[in-house]
Structures are given as structure tokens and as C-alpha cells.
Amino acid sequence: MQVTETNAEGLKREYKVRVEKDEIDQKVQDRLKEVGQQARIPGFRPGKAPMSILRQRFGKAVLGEVLERAVNDSSQQAMEERGLRPIQQPQIEVESFDEDQDLEYKMSMEILPDIEPVEFSELSLERLKVQVPDSEVDEALERLASHHKDTQPLEEARPAEKGDVLVVDFKGSVDGEELPGMSGEDHHLELGSNRFVEGFEEQLVGAEQGETRHIRVTFPGTYQNEKLAGKDADFEVTVKEIRETQPVTIDDEFAKKFGEEDLEALKQRVREQIENDYAGLARQRVKRELLDKLSESHDFDVPPSMVEQEFQQIWHQIQHDREQGQLDAEDADKDEEQLKQDYRDIAVRRVRLGLLLSEIGRRANLEISQEEMNQALIQEVQRHPGHEREVFEFYQNNPEALSQLRAPLYEDKAVDYILELANVTEREVTTDELRKMIEEEAGASGDGDEAEGAGENKAAKKKSGAKKASGKSTAKKSGGGSKAKAKTAKAESDGASDKGADSDTSGES
Amino acid sequence: MSRGRIYKPSQVKLSGARMYDLVREPVITEKATMGSEHNQVTFRVPLWASKPEIKAAIEGLFSVRVKSVNTLRQNGKVKRFRGMPGKRPDTKKAYVTLEEGHSIDVTTGV
């Protein structure tokens, strides 16, 4: 076997490999012998047929097989000898091969750059520790309470006010046509909750019990149901009952509703949850800081094809967002070229960090155990209620998708690993300070990159977005229809938004 | 078998078409390939073929020199089909020994 390097530019490598025909011939013979042991040829007992006949019968097939293996083996060997680590399977172009000829092929690939991670102990990072003040816990409790208001029928008749809950029957029509889903009976509607189309609730303020009102509203252009978007609709609403909301007292009784012993226990739980949220935020911040530092202190070439791939992924997402009309405000006034350039930079950064982290992980022998994988899978599955089965199957049948699940896990582990080694100082801050800091930083680095801490997260999110797209398509097939699709899309955006905001404890009930 | 005898070309003259009639197919079996070690090739020939004719045909078709021809008749098996006795046709095989340095590659066909 002869290997000659024909091109070594940047991270690209090209080789010309030549395998002598004797070598191949020998392999063919061996293989033929193996085949001959089993083959049934008329006139011969199995395993007794002479080589010449075997060659005539199976020669071509075996040759193809052997060549393929020879190419694989030799390319593998060539790479090993040179200690190359390609980012993906090398591209192989066979130039000549035949029965009595040397095998020649060209092999081109991109290799992983040599990465020399910095000494982690030189990194100094700051980890914020948050003390959750009691006031915050109380606030959360109150919010919780407001979601579980009791209502009571009015004792004295009076017109409806904001905050009241009306029991209504309603019937709606667009252009005189009644559509499904636009009518309801005994619907509990809280005025001011903005659950209905804008203007609907406002127009009910002042209604008396038993009164029937005609209401005219305009559906917003971005309404989920395409048929209704942007249309005017008439509603006929009968107010059956007006109920007054009762302020809820936060006490042991209240706590019991949530399955806790007493108020203290509930408080404890709420506090824990808040602490968790802040810990998550703080972690994100540290991670971001770490990634910033890492990307500052490393500068190596990045394989262009990987960047291109990442960029395509991002760009695809952007296009998708744009179609939905939800482009980042900051991007709106940039032109196409500028946008592309920006996102390409992000892609380079992401690929670089990704490579770096995986290199660090490799050096540290980090591994993702099967258990962790399963956990992640279960989490992912639970995010699609109603489609658990399909999502699960999707992952089972797609090892590639599974490896996408693995990526964020691995990344987290690598980050943890570095954090352990790095010089981390802890600082206590109050919740407000933390929030302010994060906001400031997000504003400062701004751009589509919205705080790099989330940057990597965003990558993960984006990836999961892509996955979901495929998951969704399976969901759609299963008959969920466009409604289900809209729902998942909504859930998705919800999930994305509450990550940044201080989260609501009411989710637990 | 006299080893040192001088090669005598066949006396029989055959037309081209008749040569092809004489040599039907090579016999490719384990037993036949055993002969290849002694420079022997085996053919199936018609029952009426004679040794000199076979020699002439082989020499004509494959451009080789034939040392000797041994023939044998193989009786067809008696088979029953729906209880009725039947018989497969008899065949004749010719074991053709070639002069040293000559060979026929039976696997490639005529």
C-alpha cells in the first residue's frame, strides 16, 4: 500500500492511495475459499469445487466486496498511521480498479484541528449564589393564590366589573356564518384575564345578570386559526351569572390544597423551587462566562464544512421564524447580507466551542452513561404529551437524533468538568442584582446571540427545535392535524420564554 | 500406453459443422476436474462418435494436440413417472488426454 499526500491546505487533506493487485488478489482468493465452503455447485460436493470454477462464478461479486473492504481498511490504516482525526467519513473517489490492476483511489477529508485546551486552573470565574428573600417567596405565594381564586355568586345584583367571573353562553359568527368552536355554554370567563380575543372581555364590563349583549371583535392577524385571522366576528353573549372573586387567604388551609402539611411546608417548597430557578440562572451565567473565556483564549481553524452545516441549520431556523413573522427585533432592520454574516460568525463560534468542549471531554474521558441517556430521553418524551409513543419510537429508530440528545448532555458534563478545575469564586448576590446583571449582559452582547450562556443553550434548543419539527411531522401523520401542530408550536415558544423569565410557581399544582 | 511414441495427426477429415456436432459440452464435475491434473479434459459426445473423430474434432476446435481419447457409455437411469417406467437417454463421455503443454480452459466455454 502506498499513500501519497496530494493536498494539505488548512484542515483539508487529500491523499492518493494505491493498493497493489497482489494484495487484492490474495484477499480475493481467501474470500473465494470461504465462499466455496458453502456454495453448492452442480457436479461438486460443497467445498470441493476448484478455484477456477469458483472464480468464474463468484469472481466479480467477491472482487467488488474485497475492493470495498480494501478501500475501507486501507483508508482507515492510512489515517491511523498519520494520526488523523477526520470530522466525518472521508470522501473516497476510486480512480481505477479491475481484476488485474492496482487499486487506486483518492481520499479527501477535513480533519479536526489540533486543540490544546488552556490550563483550566488559570480560568477564573465567578459563581453567583442567590439568597432568596422571604419577600420573593411571599410574592410567589400570592401569585399562586391569585391563580386559585374562589368565586361566589353576587350577593347583591350589580353590573359586572373587571375581575368578576361571568358564566356566559356565547355564540359567534363570521360573516353570518357560524363556525365550530365559536360557541359555548356555561363558560366561566374572568373579566380582565385576556383569555379571549382582545376587546371581548372589555365589552362585557357593565353587563347585568341575564342580559344579552352583541359584541363585535376583530381577530388579530396572527390568530392560530387561519380561517379566523384578521376577520370580524359577531358574538351573541348571554350573561347567566356574575360571580365575585374572593380573596384567598394564605394559610394552612391553602397549603393543604397543594398537598402540603401546612403553610411552612408549602413555603419551603416554593422557596426550593425559586432557588432552583435562580441556581439555573446563575449556572447559565457561569457557563456563559466560561464559554466566553474559552472562545477568547482559543483560536484554531475551524473546519469549513462544519461551519457551513451549522450555519445552514441556524439559517433554516431563521427563515422559519421569518415566515412565522417572529424575527428578532434587532434583526429586522438588517439586510440579508448582514444577517448572513452575523449568523455565520455565530456558527463559527458555536462550532469552535463545540469542538473545544468535545476535545476537553475526550481528554477527560467523559462519558454519557446509558442511564443519563435514558433520563434525557424520558424528559424529551414527556415534553410531547399525547405523542409519547411516537416520539419514543422516533428516537429508537433514529440513532442520529439520539446523538443530538446526547450532545447537550455531553456539553454540560464538559462544562462541569472545567468548572471543577477552574478557579471559581463565589459571590452572594440578591435576586434583584442577579436579574439585573443578566439583563445587562444580555443587552450588552445583544444581537442574535442573546447572551452566549444561552447561546449554547440556544444551540441545543435549536437542535431540539429541529428535532421537534420531525417529531411534529410524525404527530401530524398520526392524525393530530394542524391543531396539534399549533399546540406544540405554542408549547415550544412557552417553554422558550419561561426559561429566561423568573418562573411561575403555579406550574407545580 | 507407449510414452515415447511419435505424435500422429488424425487421419479423419471433418467439416466444421460436424466438429460442433461431435463435441456437445464439457463435463464439469469433481471427477472430471480430477483428470485435469493429468492433462485430461472430459466431454460429452454423441453415442455414435468414434475416438478418431473425437480427436479430430477436439484438435480442430481448440487448436490443441490430442494424445489419446478414452470413451465410455453411460447408461441412462431407469426412472418412473406416474408409475410408468421410463428411461433417461444413454450418454457417451470422452476422456481426452492432451499432449504436454496443451490445455483447454473448459470454464470459459468455446
Side-chain angles (χ1 to χ4, degrees):
Chain A
M1 195 179 80
Q2 294 168 352
V3 187
T4 43
E5 198 173 63
T6 52
N7 187 5
E9 192 190 307
L11 295 168
K12 281 201 176 126
R13 293 281 184 280
E14 260 181 43
Y15 294 98
K16 199 166 197 161
V17 183
R18 185 189 183 88
V19 185
E20 281 78 21
K21 65 179 174 207
D22 291 351
E23 223 170 301
I24 291 189
D25 210 47
Q26 187 55 45
K27 280 185 185 148
V28 170
Q29 291 247 348
D30 292 347
R31 183 81 189 114
L32 275 178
K33 240 177 227 165
E34 256 171 64
V35 173
Q37 288 305 314
Q38 309 295 329
R40 299 186 76 87
I41 297 171
F44 299 93
R45 290 169 289 166
K48 299 286 184 185
M51 190 51 79
S52 58
I53 293 191
L54 288 176
R55 196 178 279 271
Q56 182 203 7
R57 284 225 168 187
F58 305 111
K60 279 270 183 272
V62 168
L63 184 68
E65 193 187 311
V66 166
L67 280 182
E68 203 182 304
R69 208 175 328 155
V71 167
N72 276 345
D73 286 355
S74 59
S75 60
Q76 204 83 41
Q77 201 186 334
M79 282 189 286
E80 242 162 60
E81 273 171 14
R82 282 166 180 68
L84 302 176
R85 283 191 298 137
I87 52 172
Q88 68 229 146
Q89 280 293 311
Q91 286 186 338
I92 288 174
E93 218 174 288
V94 177
E95 286 183 338
S96 77
F97 78 96
D98 221 327
E99 234 154 311
D100 294 318
Q101 258 186 331
D102 293 354
L103 166 72
E104 271 183 8
Y105 66 90
K106 250 193 344 210
M107 170 166 86
S108 59
M109 63 188 139
E110 285 179 273
I111 56 168
L112 281 179
D114 278 331
I115 303 170
E116 200 46 59
V118 288
E119 202 52 52
F120 298 131
S121 52
E122 283 167 17
L123 294 174
S124 55
L125 298 165
E126 189 182 62
R127 197 200 318 253
L128 299 180
K129 242 190 146 176
V130 179
Q131 280 297 328
V132 179
D134 288 339
S135 64
E136 196 123 343
V137 176
D138 290 339
E139 242 174 72
L141 273 180
E142 261 162 45
R143 248 198 323 264
L144 194 55
S146 75
H147 282 278
H148 294 271
K149 270 183 255 182
D150 261 344
T151 55
Q152 241 183 10
L154 285 181
E155 280 166 15
E156 283 170 50
R158 64 167 170 80
E161 287 171 8
K162 233 180 190 175
D164 285 348
V165 172
L166 303 187
V167 182
V168 294
D169 289 351
F170 64 94
K171 225 191 255 175
S173 59
V174 174
D175 301 335
E177 197 185 339
E178 279 188 32
L179 292 170
M182 284 182 65
S183 60
E185 281 183 13
D186 288 339
H187 194 88
H188 286 249
L189 172 65
E190 187 184 341
L191 294 189
S193 65
N194 278 330
R195 281 212 203 118
F196 271 27
V197 189
E198 216 187 317
F200 192 95
E201 286 160 19
E202 281 79 352
Q203 293 182 55
L204 279 179
V205 173
E208 307 242 0
Q209 189 163 344
E211 190 185 330
T212 304
R213 278 200 177 191
H214 287 284
I215 290 178
R216 195 170 173 78
V217 291
T218 310
F219 284 101
T222 53
Y223 198 64
Q224 285 175 24
N225 191 337
E226 282 170 25
K227 268 192 204 158
L228 296 179
K231 290 256 177 75
D232 288 339
D234 291 309
F235 281 96
E236 198 181 295
V237 185
T238 313
V239 180
K240 280 181 157 177
E241 200 180 2
I242 302 176
R243 294 171 82 96
E244 203 175 17
T245 47
Q246 293 266 308
V248 181
T249 44
I250 299 173
D251 53 13
D252 291 355
E253 204 58 39
F254 178 67
K256 273 182 190 141
K257 268 198 197 166
F258 292 98
E260 293 292 345
E261 286 281 300
D262 51 19
L263 190 57
E264 264 325 294
L266 180 65
K267 262 192 182 162
Q268 190 59 33
R269 210 170 86 184
V270 170
R271 176 183 289 274
E272 267 168 31
Q273 192 144 14
I274 296 177
E275 265 170 359
N276 267 342
D277 289 341
Y278 279 119
L281 273 183
R283 191 189 141 79
Q284 264 188 19
R285 195 176 162 281
V286 175
K287 188 172 164 188
R288 187 193 133 195
E289 202 181 327
L290 170 68
L291 293 178
D292 273 346
K293 288 228 162 95
L294 283 179
S295 94
E296 265 169 36
S297 51
H298 292 88
D299 191 24
F300 49 82
D301 286 340
V302 177
S305 72
M306 274 176 97
V307 173
E308 189 55 31
Q309 210 178 341
E310 182 72 31
F311 173 71
Q312 289 302 345
Q313 214 171 24
I314 300 174
W315 192 244
H316 188 238
Q317 181 78 14
I318 297 292
Q319 298 288 24
H320 186 71
D321 283 354
R322 191 180 290 174
E323 271 167 36
Q324 307 246 317
Q326 34 179 260
L327 198 60
D328 285 359
E330 286 167 58
D331 292 345
D333 48 347
K334 291 183 191 165
D335 59 19
E336 185 98 352
E337 283 307 304
Q338 177 75 27
L339 265 184
K340 272 194 176 165
Q341 188 51 46
D342 281 357
Y343 282 107
R344 195 169 288 276
D345 287 348
I346 296 173
V348 169
R349 187 195 155 108
R350 250 180 226 173
V351 169
R352 178 169 294 156
L353 284 175
L355 285 177
L356 184 59
L357 283 180
S358 75
E359 172 70 18
I360 291 166
R362 199 176 64 89
R363 285 181 188 222
N365 286 328
L366 296 183
E367 262 173 33
I368 304 288
S369 68
Q370 190 58 41
E371 270 166 52
E372 285 166 309
M373 237 7 245
N374 285 345
Q375 243 172 18
L377 181 59
I378 288 168
Q379 265 180 15
E380 179 67 24
V381 166
Q382 278 170 349
R383 278 168 54 180
H384 304 280
H387 302 294
E388 283 94 349
R389 223 192 147 73
E390 286 128 33
V391 176
F392 199 68
E393 272 169 16
F394 171 72
Y395 278 111
Q396 268 186 338
N397 299 331
N398 278 301
E400 217 169 283
L402 212 56
S403 73
Q404 278 191 339
L405 262 190
R406 187 195 299 267
L409 280 183
Y410 197 76
E411 186 188 295
D412 256 3
K413 268 207 160 174
V415 168
D416 276 342
Y417 172 75
I418 303 172
L419 281 181
E420 251 170 53
L421 294 181
N423 190 0
V424 182
T425 48
E426 292 207 345
R427 186 154 68 99
E428 295 216 345
V429 288
T430 61
T431 54
D432 284 339
E433 274 169 5
L434 174 67
R435 217 175 298 156
K436 218 158 137 198
M437 267 174 175
I438 287 172
E439 263 166 29
E440 263 170 27
E441 280 157 13
S445 65
D447 211 326
D449 215 82
E450 68 143 345
E452 202 57 41
E456 279 302 309
N457 251 340
K458 207 175 160 193
K461 242 187 266 165
K462 255 174 192 155
K463 271 178 203 157
S464 70
K467 261 179 300 182
K468 242 173 260 159
S470 34
K472 237 188 281 174
S473 64
T474 52
K476 215 158 85 183
K477 247 181 268 160
S478 71
S482 57
K483 217 188 230 169
K485 192 175 156 200
K487 223 185 270 169
T488 36
K490 209 173 142 203
E492 212 173 301
S493 58
D494 285 349
S497 63
D498 71 22
K499 215 165 202 180
D502 55 335
S503 66
D504 209 333
T505 23
S506 71
E508 63 185 2
S509 56
Chain B
M1 263 219 284
S2 52
R3 289 244 162 225
R5 89 185 157 175
I6 300 151
Y7 175 74
K8 268 199 277 178
S10 171
Q11 308 295 316
V12 190
K13 295 273 183 282
L14 296 170
S15 70
R18 194 163 163 81
M19 285 186 196
Y20 286 102
D21 283 344
L22 274 165
V23 182
R24 289 218 173 117
E25 57 185 5
V27 177
I28 302 172
T29 60
E30 244 180 276
K31 194 173 181 178
T33 41
M34 270 166 20
S36 62
E37 280 172 36
H38 313 290
N39 227 2
Q40 257 181 355
V41 201
T42 316
F43 293 95
R44 214 166 279 285
V45 295
L47 289 171
W48 46 260
S50 71
K51 287 179 182 178
E53 274 177 328
I54 293 168
K55 179 174 172 174
I58 299 285
E59 285 181 345
L61 286 176
F62 300 101
S63 324
V64 289
R65 271 159 65 169
V66 174
K67 197 176 190 178
S68 70
V69 177
N70 297 356
T71 58
L72 66 90
R73 282 177 164 230
Q74 197 171 37
N75 289 342
K77 287 180 180 173
V78 177
K79 292 278 178 181
R80 283 174 186 281
F81 181 67
R82 295 194 177 160
M84 303 292 285
K87 190 167 173 293
R88 286 187 178 170
D90 298 346
T91 54
K92 189 175 203 169
K93 285 197 283 191
Y95 282 83
V96 180
T97 311
L98 305 177
E99 288 281 345
E100 241 155 78
H102 293 267
S103 66
I104 298 173
D105 191 358
V106 287
T107 55
T108 53
V110 182

